Amino acid sequence: MDIAILLGVGLLAALHLVFAWRAFTSRLRLSINRRYRWVITSLLLGPMGYYAMLGLWPSELFCEE
């Protein structure tokens, strides 16, 4: 296999893992089911899944007030 393909696949996998970790360690108060759904979606879809799940929740979850 070409080294560029291996490097690209490795970086893509790392990107997906980073966004799954960000979802797992988020400070949002979510139920376990919602948090795991967010982690799985982020793991499968990477940044697109991470930000898609953020777009589904009401903005009141993000306010610190």
CSV table of all heavy atoms in Angstrom, one decimal:
chain,number,residue,atom,x,y,z
A,1,MET,N,0.8,-1.2,0.0
A,1,MET,CA,0.0,0.0,0.0
A,1,MET,C,0.9,1.2,0.0
A,1,MET,O,1.9,1.3,0.6
A,1,MET,CB,-0.9,0.0,1.2
A,1,MET,CG,-2.3,-0.1,0.9
A,1,MET,SD,-3.3,0.2,2.4
A,1,MET,CE,-4.7,-0.6,1.9
A,2,ASP,N,0.4,2.2,-0.6
A,2,ASP,CA,1.1,3.5,-0.6
A,2,ASP,C,1.1,4.2,0.8
A,2,ASP,O,0.1,4.1,1.5
A,2,ASP,CB,0.4,4.4,-1.6
A,2,ASP,CG,1.2,5.6,-2.0
A,2,ASP,OD1,2.4,5.6,-1.9
A,2,ASP,OD2,0.5,6.6,-2.3
A,3,ILE,N,2.2,4.8,1.1
A,3,ILE,CA,2.3,5.4,2.5
A,3,ILE,C,1.3,6.6,2.6
A,3,ILE,O,0.8,6.8,3.7
A,3,ILE,CB,3.7,5.8,2.7
A,3,ILE,CG1,3.9,6.3,4.2
A,3,ILE,CG2,4.1,7.0,1.9
A,3,ILE,CD1,4.9,5.5,4.9
A,4,ALA,N,1.0,7.3,1.5
A,4,ALA,CA,0.0,8.4,1.6
A,4,ALA,C,-1.4,7.9,2.0
A,4,ALA,O,-2.1,8.6,2.7
A,4,ALA,CB,0.0,9.1,0.3
A,5,ILE,N,-1.7,6.7,1.5
A,5,ILE,CA,-3.1,6.2,1.8
A,5,ILE,C,-3.1,5.8,3.3
A,5,ILE,O,-4.1,6.1,4.0
A,5,ILE,CB,-3.4,5.0,0.9
A,5,ILE,CG1,-3.6,5.5,-0.6
A,5,ILE,CG2,-4.6,4.3,1.4
A,5,ILE,CD1,-3.7,4.4,-1.6
A,6,LEU,N,-2.1,5.1,3.7
A,6,LEU,CA,-2.0,4.7,5.1
A,6,LEU,C,-2.0,5.9,6.0
A,6,LEU,O,-2.7,6.0,7.1
A,6,LEU,CB,-0.8,3.9,5.4
A,6,LEU,CG,-0.8,2.5,4.8
A,6,LEU,CD1,0.6,1.8,5.1
A,6,LEU,CD2,-1.9,1.7,5.4
A,7,LEU,N,-1.3,7.0,5.7
A,7,LEU,CA,-1.2,8.2,6.5
A,7,LEU,C,-2.6,8.9,6.5
A,7,LEU,O,-3.0,9.3,7.5
A,7,LEU,CB,-0.1,9.1,5.9
A,7,LEU,CG,0.1,10.4,6.7
A,7,LEU,CD1,0.6,10.1,8.1
A,7,LEU,CD2,1.1,11.3,6.0
A,8,GLY,N,-3.2,8.9,5.3
A,8,GLY,CA,-4.6,9.6,5.3
A,8,GLY,C,-5.6,8.8,6.1
A,8,GLY,O,-6.4,9.4,6.8
A,9,VAL,N,-5.6,7.5,6.0
A,9,VAL,CA,-6.5,6.7,6.8
A,9,VAL,C,-6.2,6.9,8.3
A,9,VAL,O,-7.2,7.0,9.1
A,9,VAL,CB,-6.5,5.2,6.4
A,9,VAL,CG1,-7.2,4.3,7.3
A,9,VAL,CG2,-7.0,5.1,5.0
A,10,GLY,N,-5.0,6.9,8.7
A,10,GLY,CA,-4.6,7.1,10.1
A,10,GLY,C,-5.0,8.4,10.6
A,10,GLY,O,-5.6,8.5,11.7
A,11,LEU,N,-4.8,9.5,9.8
A,11,LEU,CA,-5.2,10.8,10.2
A,11,LEU,C,-6.8,10.9,10.3
A,11,LEU,O,-7.3,11.6,11.2
A,11,LEU,CB,-4.7,11.9,9.3
A,11,LEU,CG,-3.2,12.1,9.4
A,11,LEU,CD1,-2.7,13.0,8.3
A,11,LEU,CD2,-2.8,12.6,10.8
A,12,LEU,N,-7.5,10.3,9.4
A,12,LEU,CA,-8.9,10.3,9.4
A,12,LEU,C,-9.4,9.6,10.7
A,12,LEU,O,-10.4,10.1,11.3
A,12,LEU,CB,-9.5,9.7,8.2
A,12,LEU,CG,-11.0,9.8,8.0
A,12,LEU,CD1,-11.5,11.2,7.9
A,12,LEU,CD2,-11.4,9.0,6.8
A,13,ALA,N,-8.9,8.5,11.0
A,13,ALA,CA,-9.2,7.7,12.2
A,13,ALA,C,-8.9,8.6,13.4
A,13,ALA,O,-9.8,8.6,14.4
A,13,ALA,CB,-8.5,6.4,12.2
A,14,ALA,N,-7.8,9.2,13.5
A,14,ALA,CA,-7.5,10.1,14.6
A,14,ALA,C,-8.4,11.2,14.7
A,14,ALA,O,-8.8,11.6,15.9
A,14,ALA,CB,-6.0,10.6,14.5
A,15,LEU,N,-8.8,11.8,13.6
A,15,LEU,CA,-9.8,12.9,13.7
A,15,LEU,C,-11.1,12.5,14.3
A,15,LEU,O,-11.7,13.1,15.1
A,15,LEU,CB,-10.0,13.5,12.3
A,15,LEU,CG,-11.0,14.6,12.1
A,15,LEU,CD1,-10.4,15.9,12.7
A,15,LEU,CD2,-11.3,14.9,10.7
A,16,HIS,N,-11.6,11.3,13.9
A,16,HIS,CA,-12.9,10.8,14.4
A,16,HIS,C,-12.7,10.5,15.9
A,16,HIS,O,-13.7,10.7,16.6
A,16,HIS,CB,-13.2,9.5,13.6
A,16,HIS,CG,-13.8,9.8,12.3
A,16,HIS,ND1,-15.1,9.5,11.9
A,16,HIS,CD2,-13.2,10.4,11.2
A,16,HIS,CE1,-15.3,9.9,10.6
A,16,HIS,NE2,-14.2,10.4,10.2
A,17,LEU,N,-11.6,10.0,16.3
A,17,LEU,CA,-11.4,9.7,17.7
A,17,LEU,C,-11.3,11.0,18.5
A,17,LEU,O,-11.9,11.0,19.7
A,17,LEU,CB,-10.1,8.9,17.9
A,17,LEU,CG,-10.2,7.4,17.5
A,17,LEU,CD1,-8.8,6.8,17.5
A,17,LEU,CD2,-11.1,6.6,18.3
A,18,VAL,N,-10.8,12.0,18.0
A,18,VAL,CA,-10.7,13.3,18.7
A,18,VAL,C,-12.1,13.9,18.9
A,18,VAL,O,-12.4,14.3,20.0
A,18,VAL,CB,-9.8,14.3,17.9
A,18,VAL,CG1,-10.0,15.7,18.4
A,18,VAL,CG2,-8.4,13.9,18.0
A,19,PHE,N,-12.9,13.8,17.9
A,19,PHE,CA,-14.3,14.3,18.1
A,19,PHE,C,-15.1,13.5,19.0
A,19,PHE,O,-16.0,14.0,19.7
A,19,PHE,CB,-14.9,14.6,16.7
A,19,PHE,CG,-14.5,15.9,16.1
A,19,PHE,CD1,-13.4,16.0,15.3
A,19,PHE,CD2,-15.2,17.1,16.5
A,19,PHE,CE1,-13.0,17.2,14.8
A,19,PHE,CE2,-14.8,18.3,16.0
A,19,PHE,CZ,-13.7,18.4,15.1
A,20,ALA,N,-14.9,12.2,19.0
A,20,ALA,CA,-15.6,11.3,19.9
A,20,ALA,C,-15.2,11.6,21.3
A,20,ALA,O,-16.0,11.6,22.2
A,20,ALA,CB,-15.4,9.8,19.5
A,21,TRP,N,-13.9,11.8,21.5
A,21,TRP,CA,-13.4,12.2,22.9
A,21,TRP,C,-14.0,13.5,23.3
A,21,TRP,O,-14.3,13.7,24.5
A,21,TRP,CB,-11.9,12.2,22.9
A,21,TRP,CG,-11.3,12.5,24.2
A,21,TRP,CD1,-10.8,13.7,24.6
A,21,TRP,CD2,-11.3,11.7,25.4
A,21,TRP,NE1,-10.4,13.6,25.9
A,21,TRP,CE2,-10.7,12.4,26.4
A,21,TRP,CE3,-11.8,10.4,25.6
A,21,TRP,CZ2,-10.6,11.8,27.7
A,21,TRP,CZ3,-11.6,9.8,26.8
A,21,TRP,CH2,-11.0,10.5,27.9
A,22,ARG,N,-14.1,14.5,22.4
A,22,ARG,CA,-14.7,15.8,22.8
A,22,ARG,C,-16.1,15.6,23.2
A,22,ARG,O,-16.6,16.3,24.1
A,22,ARG,CB,-14.6,16.8,21.6
A,22,ARG,CG,-13.2,17.3,21.4
A,22,ARG,CD,-13.1,18.3,20.3
A,22,ARG,NE,-14.0,19.5,20.6
A,22,ARG,CZ,-14.2,20.4,19.8
A,22,ARG,NH1,-13.7,20.4,18.6
A,22,ARG,NH2,-14.9,21.4,20.1
A,23,ALA,N,-16.9,14.8,22.5
A,23,ALA,CA,-18.3,14.5,22.9
A,23,ALA,C,-18.3,13.8,24.2
A,23,ALA,O,-19.2,14.1,25.1
A,23,ALA,CB,-18.9,13.7,21.8
A,24,PHE,N,-17.4,12.9,24.5
A,24,PHE,CA,-17.5,12.2,25.8
A,24,PHE,C,-17.1,13.0,26.9
A,24,PHE,O,-17.7,12.9,28.0
A,24,PHE,CB,-16.5,11.0,25.7
A,24,PHE,CG,-16.5,10.1,26.9
A,24,PHE,CD1,-17.5,9.3,27.1
A,24,PHE,CD2,-15.4,10.1,27.8
A,24,PHE,CE1,-17.6,8.5,28.3
A,24,PHE,CE2,-15.4,9.3,28.9
A,24,PHE,CZ,-16.5,8.5,29.1
A,25,THR,N,-16.2,14.0,26.8
A,25,THR,CA,-15.7,14.8,27.9
A,25,THR,C,-16.4,16.2,27.9
A,25,THR,O,-16.0,17.0,28.7
A,25,THR,CB,-14.2,15.0,27.8
A,25,THR,OG1,-13.9,15.6,26.6
A,25,THR,CG2,-13.5,13.7,27.9
A,26,SER,N,-17.5,16.3,27.2
A,26,SER,CA,-18.2,17.6,27.1
A,26,SER,C,-18.8,17.9,28.5
A,26,SER,O,-19.2,17.1,29.3
A,26,SER,CB,-19.3,17.6,26.1
A,26,SER,OG,-20.1,18.7,26.2
A,27,ARG,N,-18.9,19.2,28.8
A,27,ARG,CA,-19.4,19.7,30.1
A,27,ARG,C,-20.9,19.8,30.1
A,27,ARG,O,-21.5,20.2,31.1
A,27,ARG,CB,-18.8,21.0,30.5
A,27,ARG,CG,-17.3,20.9,30.8
A,27,ARG,CD,-16.7,22.2,31.3
A,27,ARG,NE,-16.8,23.1,30.1
A,27,ARG,CZ,-16.6,24.4,30.2
A,27,ARG,NH1,-16.3,25.0,31.4
A,27,ARG,NH2,-16.6,25.2,29.2
A,28,LEU,N,-21.6,19.5,29.0
A,28,LEU,CA,-23.0,19.6,28.9
A,28,LEU,C,-23.6,18.6,29.8
A,28,LEU,O,-23.1,17.4,29.9
A,28,LEU,CB,-23.5,19.3,27.5
A,28,LEU,CG,-23.2,20.4,26.4
A,28,LEU,CD1,-23.7,20.0,25.1
A,28,LEU,CD2,-23.9,21.7,26.8
A,29,ARG,N,-24.7,18.9,30.4
A,29,ARG,CA,-25.5,18.0,31.3
A,29,ARG,C,-26.4,17.2,30.4
A,29,ARG,O,-27.5,17.7,30.1
A,29,ARG,CB,-26.2,18.7,32.4
A,29,ARG,CG,-25.3,19.4,33.3
A,29,ARG,CD,-26.0,20.1,34.5
A,29,ARG,NE,-25.1,20.9,35.2
A,29,ARG,CZ,-25.4,22.1,35.6
A,29,ARG,NH1,-26.6,22.7,35.3
A,29,ARG,NH2,-24.6,22.9,36.2
A,30,LEU,N,-26.0,16.0,30.0
A,30,LEU,CA,-26.8,15.2,29.2
A,30,LEU,C,-27.1,13.8,29.8
A,30,LEU,O,-26.3,13.4,30.7
A,30,LEU,CB,-26.1,14.9,27.8
A,30,LEU,CG,-25.8,16.1,27.0
A,30,LEU,CD1,-25.0,15.7,25.8
A,30,LEU,CD2,-27.1,16.8,26.5
A,31,SER,N,-28.2,13.2,29.5
A,31,SER,CA,-28.4,11.8,30.0
A,31,SER,C,-27.3,10.9,29.4
A,31,SER,O,-26.7,11.2,28.4
A,31,SER,CB,-29.8,11.4,29.6
A,31,SER,OG,-29.9,11.2,28.2
A,32,ILE,N,-27.2,9.8,30.0
A,32,ILE,CA,-26.2,8.8,29.5
A,32,ILE,C,-26.5,8.4,28.1
A,32,ILE,O,-25.6,8.3,27.2
A,32,ILE,CB,-26.2,7.6,30.4
A,32,ILE,CG1,-25.7,8.0,31.8
A,32,ILE,CG2,-25.3,6.5,29.8
A,32,ILE,CD1,-24.3,8.5,31.8
A,33,ASN,N,-27.8,8.2,27.8
A,33,ASN,CA,-28.2,7.7,26.4
A,33,ASN,C,-27.8,8.8,25.4
A,33,ASN,O,-27.3,8.5,24.3
A,33,ASN,CB,-29.7,7.4,26.3
A,33,ASN,CG,-30.0,6.2,27.1
A,33,ASN,OD1,-29.2,5.3,27.3
A,33,ASN,ND2,-31.3,6.1,27.5
A,34,ARG,N,-28.1,10.1,25.7
A,34,ARG,CA,-27.8,11.1,24.7
A,34,ARG,C,-26.3,11.3,24.6
A,34,ARG,O,-25.8,11.5,23.5
A,34,ARG,CB,-28.4,12.5,25.2
A,34,ARG,CG,-29.9,12.5,25.1
A,34,ARG,CD,-30.4,13.8,25.6
A,34,ARG,NE,-30.9,14.6,24.4
A,34,ARG,CZ,-31.4,15.8,24.5
A,34,ARG,NH1,-31.4,16.4,25.7
A,34,ARG,NH2,-31.8,16.4,23.5
A,35,ARG,N,-25.6,11.2,25.6
A,35,ARG,CA,-24.1,11.3,25.6
A,35,ARG,C,-23.5,10.2,24.7
A,35,ARG,O,-22.7,10.4,23.8
A,35,ARG,CB,-23.5,11.3,26.9
A,35,ARG,CG,-22.0,11.6,26.8
A,35,ARG,CD,-21.4,11.9,28.2
A,35,ARG,NE,-21.9,13.0,28.9
A,35,ARG,CZ,-21.5,14.3,28.7
A,35,ARG,NH1,-20.6,14.5,27.8
A,35,ARG,NH2,-22.1,15.2,29.4
A,36,TYR,N,-24.0,9.0,24.9
A,36,TYR,CA,-23.4,7.9,24.1
A,36,TYR,C,-23.9,7.9,22.7
A,36,TYR,O,-23.1,7.6,21.8
A,36,TYR,CB,-23.8,6.5,24.7
A,36,TYR,CG,-23.0,6.1,26.0
A,36,TYR,CD1,-23.6,5.6,27.1
A,36,TYR,CD2,-21.7,6.4,26.0
A,36,TYR,CE1,-22.9,5.2,28.2
A,36,TYR,CE2,-20.9,6.1,27.1
A,36,TYR,CZ,-21.5,5.5,28.2
A,36,TYR,OH,-20.7,5.2,29.3
A,37,ARG,N,-25.0,8.4,22.4
A,37,ARG,CA,-25.5,8.6,21.0
A,37,ARG,C,-24.6,9.7,20.4
A,37,ARG,O,-24.2,9.5,19.2
A,37,ARG,CB,-26.9,9.1,21.0
A,37,ARG,CG,-27.5,9.2,19.6
A,37,ARG,CD,-28.9,9.6,19.5
A,37,ARG,NE,-29.7,9.2,20.7
A,37,ARG,CZ,-30.7,10.0,21.2
A,37,ARG,NH1,-30.9,11.2,20.7
A,37,ARG,NH2,-31.3,9.6,22.3
A,38,TRP,N,-24.2,10.7,21.1
A,38,TRP,CA,-23.3,11.8,20.6
A,38,TRP,C,-21.9,11.2,20.3
A,38,TRP,O,-21.3,11.5,19.3
A,38,TRP,CB,-23.3,12.9,21.6
A,38,TRP,CG,-22.6,14.2,21.1
A,38,TRP,CD1,-22.4,14.5,19.8
A,38,TRP,CD2,-22.2,15.2,21.9
A,38,TRP,NE1,-21.8,15.8,19.8
A,38,TRP,CE2,-21.7,16.2,21.1
A,38,TRP,CE3,-22.2,15.5,23.3
A,38,TRP,CZ2,-21.1,17.4,21.5
A,38,TRP,CZ3,-21.7,16.7,23.8
A,38,TRP,CH2,-21.2,17.6,22.9
A,39,VAL,N,-21.4,10.4,21.2
A,39,VAL,CA,-20.1,9.8,21.0
A,39,VAL,C,-20.1,8.9,19.8
A,39,VAL,O,-19.2,8.9,19.0
A,39,VAL,CB,-19.7,9.0,22.3
A,39,VAL,CG1,-18.4,8.2,22.0
A,39,VAL,CG2,-19.4,10.0,23.5
A,40,ILE,N,-21.1,8.0,19.7
A,40,ILE,CA,-21.2,7.1,18.6
A,40,ILE,C,-21.3,7.8,17.3
A,40,ILE,O,-20.6,7.5,16.3
A,40,ILE,CB,-22.4,6.1,18.7
A,40,ILE,CG1,-22.2,5.3,20.0
A,40,ILE,CG2,-22.5,5.2,17.5
A,40,ILE,CD1,-21.4,4.1,20.0
A,41,THR,N,-22.1,8.9,17.2
A,41,THR,CA,-22.3,9.6,16.0
A,41,THR,C,-21.0,10.4,15.6
A,41,THR,O,-20.6,10.4,14.5
A,41,THR,CB,-23.4,10.7,16.2
A,41,THR,OG1,-24.6,10.0,16.5
A,41,THR,CG2,-23.7,11.4,14.9
A,42,SER,N,-20.3,10.9,16.6
A,42,SER,CA,-19.0,11.5,16.4
A,42,SER,C,-18.0,10.6,15.9
A,42,SER,O,-17.1,10.9,15.1
A,42,SER,CB,-18.6,12.3,17.7
A,42,SER,OG,-19.5,13.2,18.0
A,43,LEU,N,-18.0,9.4,16.5
A,43,LEU,CA,-17.0,8.4,16.1
A,43,LEU,C,-17.3,7.9,14.7
A,43,LEU,O,-16.3,7.7,13.9
A,43,LEU,CB,-17.1,7.2,17.1
A,43,LEU,CG,-16.0,6.1,17.0
A,43,LEU,CD1,-14.7,6.7,17.2
A,43,LEU,CD2,-16.3,5.0,18.0
A,44,LEU,N,-18.5,7.7,14.3
A,44,LEU,CA,-18.8,7.3,12.9
A,44,LEU,C,-18.7,8.4,11.9
A,44,LEU,O,-18.2,8.1,10.8
A,44,LEU,CB,-20.2,6.7,12.9
A,44,LEU,CG,-20.4,5.4,13.7
A,44,LEU,CD1,-21.9,5.0,13.7
A,44,LEU,CD2,-19.5,4.3,13.2
A,45,LEU,N,-19.1,9.6,12.2
A,45,LEU,CA,-19.1,10.6,11.2
A,45,LEU,C,-18.1,11.7,11.4
A,45,LEU,O,-18.0,12.6,10.6
A,45,LEU,CB,-20.5,11.3,11.2
A,45,LEU,CG,-21.7,10.3,10.8
A,45,LEU,CD1,-23.0,11.0,10.9
A,45,LEU,CD2,-21.5,9.7,9.5
A,46,GLY,N,-17.3,11.7,12.5
A,46,GLY,CA,-16.3,12.7,12.7
A,46,GLY,C,-16.9,14.0,13.1
A,46,GLY,O,-17.9,14.1,13.7
A,47,PRO,N,-16.2,15.1,12.6
A,47,PRO,CA,-16.7,16.5,12.9
A,47,PRO,C,-18.1,16.7,12.4
A,47,PRO,O,-18.9,17.4,13.1
A,47,PRO,CB,-15.7,17.4,12.1
A,47,PRO,CG,-14.6,16.5,11.7
A,47,PRO,CD,-15.1,15.1,11.7
A,48,MET,N,-18.5,16.1,11.3
A,48,MET,CA,-19.9,16.3,10.8
A,48,MET,C,-20.9,15.8,11.8
A,48,MET,O,-21.9,16.4,12.1
A,48,MET,CB,-20.1,15.6,9.5
A,48,MET,CG,-21.4,15.9,8.8
A,48,MET,SD,-21.5,15.2,7.1
A,48,MET,CE,-21.5,13.5,7.4
A,49,GLY,N,-20.7,14.6,12.4
A,49,GLY,CA,-21.6,14.0,13.4
A,49,GLY,C,-21.5,14.8,14.7
A,49,GLY,O,-22.6,15.0,15.3
A,50,TYR,N,-20.4,15.3,15.1
A,50,TYR,CA,-20.2,16.1,16.3
A,50,TYR,C,-21.1,17.4,16.2
A,50,TYR,O,-21.9,17.6,17.1
A,50,TYR,CB,-18.8,16.4,16.5
A,50,TYR,CG,-18.5,17.3,17.7
A,50,TYR,CD1,-18.3,16.6,19.0
A,50,TYR,CD2,-18.3,18.6,17.7
A,50,TYR,CE1,-18.0,17.4,20.1
A,50,TYR,CE2,-18.1,19.4,18.8
A,50,TYR,CZ,-17.9,18.8,20.0
A,50,TYR,OH,-17.6,19.5,21.1
A,51,TYR,N,-20.9,18.1,15.2
A,51,TYR,CA,-21.6,19.4,15.0
A,51,TYR,C,-23.1,19.2,14.7
A,51,TYR,O,-24.0,20.0,15.0
A,51,TYR,CB,-20.9,20.3,14.1
A,51,TYR,CG,-19.6,20.8,14.6
A,51,TYR,CD1,-18.4,20.4,14.0
A,51,TYR,CD2,-19.6,21.6,15.8
A,51,TYR,CE1,-17.2,20.9,14.6
A,51,TYR,CE2,-18.4,22.0,16.3
A,51,TYR,CZ,-17.2,21.6,15.7
A,51,TYR,OH,-16.0,22.1,16.2
A,52,ALA,N,-23.4,18.1,14.0
A,52,ALA,CA,-24.9,17.8,13.7
A,52,ALA,C,-25.6,17.5,15.0
A,52,ALA,O,-26.7,18.0,15.2
A,52,ALA,CB,-25.0,16.6,12.8
A,53,MET,N,-25.0,16.8,15.9
A,53,MET,CA,-25.7,16.5,17.2
A,53,MET,C,-25.8,17.8,18.0
A,53,MET,O,-26.8,18.0,18.7
A,53,MET,CB,-24.9,15.5,18.0
A,53,MET,CG,-25.0,14.1,17.5
A,53,MET,SD,-26.7,13.4,17.4
A,53,MET,CE,-27.0,13.1,19.1
A,54,LEU,N,-24.8,18.7,18.0
A,54,LEU,CA,-24.9,20.0,18.7
A,54,LEU,C,-26.0,20.8,18.1
A,54,LEU,O,-26.7,21.5,18.8
A,54,LEU,CB,-23.6,20.8,18.5
A,54,LEU,CG,-22.4,20.4,19.4
A,54,LEU,CD1,-21.2,21.3,19.1
A,54,LEU,CD2,-22.8,20.6,20.9
A,55,GLY,N,-26.3,20.7,16.8
A,55,GLY,CA,-27.4,21.5,16.2
A,55,GLY,C,-28.7,21.0,16.5
A,55,GLY,O,-29.7,21.7,16.4
A,56,LEU,N,-28.9,19.7,17.0
A,56,LEU,CA,-30.2,19.2,17.4
A,56,LEU,C,-30.7,19.6,18.8
A,56,LEU,O,-31.8,19.5,19.0
A,56,LEU,CB,-30.1,17.6,17.3
A,56,LEU,CG,-29.9,17.0,15.9
A,56,LEU,CD1,-29.8,15.5,16.1
A,56,LEU,CD2,-31.0,17.4,15.0
A,57,TRP,N,-29.7,20.0,19.6
A,57,TRP,CA,-30.1,20.3,21.0
A,57,TRP,C,-30.4,21.8,21.1
A,57,TRP,O,-29.8,22.7,20.5
A,57,TRP,CB,-29.0,20.0,22.0
A,57,TRP,CG,-28.8,18.5,22.0
A,57,TRP,CD1,-29.7,17.5,21.9
A,57,TRP,CD2,-27.6,17.8,22.1
A,57,TRP,NE1,-29.2,16.3,21.9
A,57,TRP,CE2,-27.8,16.4,22.0
A,57,TRP,CE3,-26.2,18.2,22.2
A,57,TRP,CZ2,-26.8,15.5,22.1
A,57,TRP,CZ3,-25.3,17.3,22.3
A,57,TRP,CH2,-25.6,15.9,22.2
A,58,PRO,N,-31.4,22.2,22.0
A,58,PRO,CA,-31.7,23.6,22.2
A,58,PRO,C,-30.5,24.3,22.8
A,58,PRO,O,-29.7,23.8,23.5
A,58,PRO,CB,-32.9,23.5,23.2
A,58,PRO,CG,-32.9,22.1,23.8
A,58,PRO,CD,-32.1,21.3,22.9
A,59,SER,N,-30.5,25.6,22.5
A,59,SER,CA,-29.4,26.4,22.9
A,59,SER,C,-29.3,26.7,24.4
A,59,SER,O,-28.3,27.1,25.0
A,59,SER,CB,-29.4,27.8,22.2
A,59,SER,OG,-30.6,28.5,22.5
A,60,GLU,N,-30.4,26.4,25.1
A,60,GLU,CA,-30.4,26.5,26.6
A,60,GLU,C,-29.5,25.6,27.3
A,60,GLU,O,-29.0,25.9,28.4
A,60,GLU,CB,-31.8,26.3,27.2
A,60,GLU,CG,-32.9,27.3,26.8
A,60,GLU,CD,-33.5,27.1,25.5
A,60,GLU,OE1,-33.6,25.9,25.0
A,60,GLU,OE2,-33.9,28.1,24.8
A,61,LEU,N,-29.1,24.5,26.6
A,61,LEU,CA,-28.1,23.6,27.2
A,61,LEU,C,-26.7,24.2,27.3
A,61,LEU,O,-25.9,23.8,28.1
A,61,LEU,CB,-28.1,22.3,26.4
A,61,LEU,CG,-29.3,21.3,26.5
A,61,LEU,CD1,-29.1,20.2,25.6
A,61,LEU,CD2,-29.4,20.8,27.9
A,62,PHE,N,-26.5,25.1,26.4
A,62,PHE,CA,-25.1,25.7,26.3
A,62,PHE,C,-24.9,26.9,27.2
A,62,PHE,O,-23.8,27.4,27.4
A,62,PHE,CB,-24.8,26.0,24.9
A,62,PHE,CG,-24.9,24.9,24.0
A,62,PHE,CD1,-26.0,24.8,23.1
A,62,PHE,CD2,-24.0,23.8,24.0
A,62,PHE,CE1,-26.2,23.7,22.3
A,62,PHE,CE2,-24.2,22.7,23.2
A,62,PHE,CZ,-25.2,22.7,22.3
A,63,CYS,N,-26.0,27.5,27.7
A,63,CYS,CA,-25.9,28.7,28.5
A,63,CYS,C,-25.5,28.4,29.9
A,63,CYS,O,-25.9,27.4,30.5
A,63,CYS,CB,-27.2,29.5,28.6
A,63,CYS,SG,-27.8,30.1,26.9
A,64,GLU,N,-24.6,29.2,30.5
A,64,GLU,CA,-24.1,29.0,31.8
A,64,GLU,C,-24.9,29.8,32.8
A,64,GLU,O,-24.7,29.8,34.0
A,64,GLU,CB,-22.6,29.4,31.9
A,64,GLU,CG,-21.7,28.6,31.1
A,64,GLU,CD,-21.6,27.2,31.7
A,64,GLU,OE1,-21.7,27.0,32.9
A,64,GLU,OE2,-21.4,26.2,30.9
A,65,GLU,N,-25.9,30.6,32.3
A,65,GLU,CA,-26.7,31.5,33.2
A,65,GLU,C,-27.7,30.7,34.0
A,65,GLU,O,-28.3,29.9,33.7
A,65,GLU,CB,-27.4,32.5,32.3
A,65,GLU,CG,-26.4,33.3,31.5
A,65,GLU,CD,-27.1,34.3,30.6
A,65,GLU,OE1,-28.3,34.3,30.5
A,65,GLU,OE2,-26.4,35.0,29.9
